[in-house]
Amino acid sequence: IIYSIVQGNTNNGFALDPVTGVITVADSTVFNFEQNSTFTLLVQAQDNGNGSLTGQAVIIVNLLNLNEMPVIEDQYFEVFQLSPTGTFVGHVIAMDPDFGQLLSYSITSGNTDSAFSIDPFTGDIRVENSVALNFAANPEFQLVVRVADNGDLNLLSEAVITIEVIQGINNSPIIIDQFFEALENSSAGTF
């Protein structure tokens, strides 16, 4: 008996051994549970007797869903120096290939002086400590943001979120009126 796949082998994802009838994966990139969870193959068996008779059967292959890692890429935002606490900086974009996954966000490093906070449910970054937004001391922050899914094993990914502190308006220096005393006939250079 010689076996063959007659129909349903989308993008040649399956291989069928013509002698044993064993079905194996030929191209794993074809299989994505979120796009197509079931494959219906029409398989034919042909004998080598007089007249070479054939028979066909429908083989249904159901894919099992595996949790896949969430996807996040490096992103860039800007914030003005000394922006008040609560100022919206940016929304971190991430996604999960698995349908219905809930993502959670956290800052794992780079948050000098707790300058920023991230909403664990939305990924919105806000100013948490406006004093830390000092262009002279910290012109740029590189936050490592982790996104985790709620699927099996809670898979996670990380990306660098760069936040540049913009100096903004050049503010005038501040000087206040002051009072000093000096002794008469003080020598040159006396403080």
Side-chain angles (χ1 to χ4, degrees), residues 29 63 89 136:
T29 63
L63 295 183
V89 176

PDB file of all heavy atoms in Angstrom, residues 29 63 89 136:
ATOM      1  N   THR A  29       6.726  26.164  10.671  1.00  0.00           N
ATOM      2  CA  THR A  29       6.283  27.550  10.551  1.00  0.00           C
ATOM      3  C   THR A  29       4.847  27.654  10.050  1.00  0.00           C
ATOM      4  O   THR A  29       4.226  28.706  10.182  1.00  0.00           O
ATOM      5  CB  THR A  29       7.207  28.353   9.617  1.00  0.00           C
ATOM      6  OG1 THR A  29       7.146  27.800   8.301  1.00  0.00           O
ATOM      7  CG2 THR A  29       8.645  28.338  10.128  1.00  0.00           C
ATOM      8  N   LEU A  63      -4.280  21.211  16.484  1.00  0.00           N
ATOM      9  CA  LEU A  63      -3.101  21.777  17.124  1.00  0.00           C
ATOM     10  C   LEU A  63      -3.417  22.074  18.588  1.00  0.00           C
ATOM     11  O   LEU A  63      -4.524  22.499  18.919  1.00  0.00           O
ATOM     12  CB  LEU A  63      -2.677  23.082  16.445  1.00  0.00           C
ATOM     13  CG  LEU A  63      -2.206  23.008  15.005  1.00  0.00           C
ATOM     14  CD1 LEU A  63      -1.759  24.390  14.538  1.00  0.00           C
ATOM     15  CD2 LEU A  63      -1.085  22.020  14.844  1.00  0.00           C
ATOM     16  N   VAL A  89       4.248  60.523  30.205  1.00  0.00           N
ATOM     17  CA  VAL A  89       5.471  60.518  29.385  1.00  0.00           C
ATOM     18  C   VAL A  89       5.244  59.736  28.097  1.00  0.00           C
ATOM     19  O   VAL A  89       5.630  60.166  27.020  1.00  0.00           O
ATOM     20  CB  VAL A  89       6.654  59.923  30.177  1.00  0.00           C
ATOM     21  CG1 VAL A  89       7.893  59.829  29.307  1.00  0.00           C
ATOM     22  CG2 VAL A  89       6.929  60.750  31.416  1.00  0.00           C
ATOM     23  N   ALA A 136      20.926  68.525  33.595  1.00  0.00           N
ATOM     24  CA  ALA A 136      22.361  68.548  33.869  1.00  0.00           C
ATOM     25  C   ALA A 136      22.820  67.243  34.513  1.00  0.00           C
ATOM     26  O   ALA A 136      23.898  66.731  34.210  1.00  0.00           O
ATOM     27  CB  ALA A 136      22.708  69.729  34.767  1.00  0.00           C
TER      28      ALA A 136
END
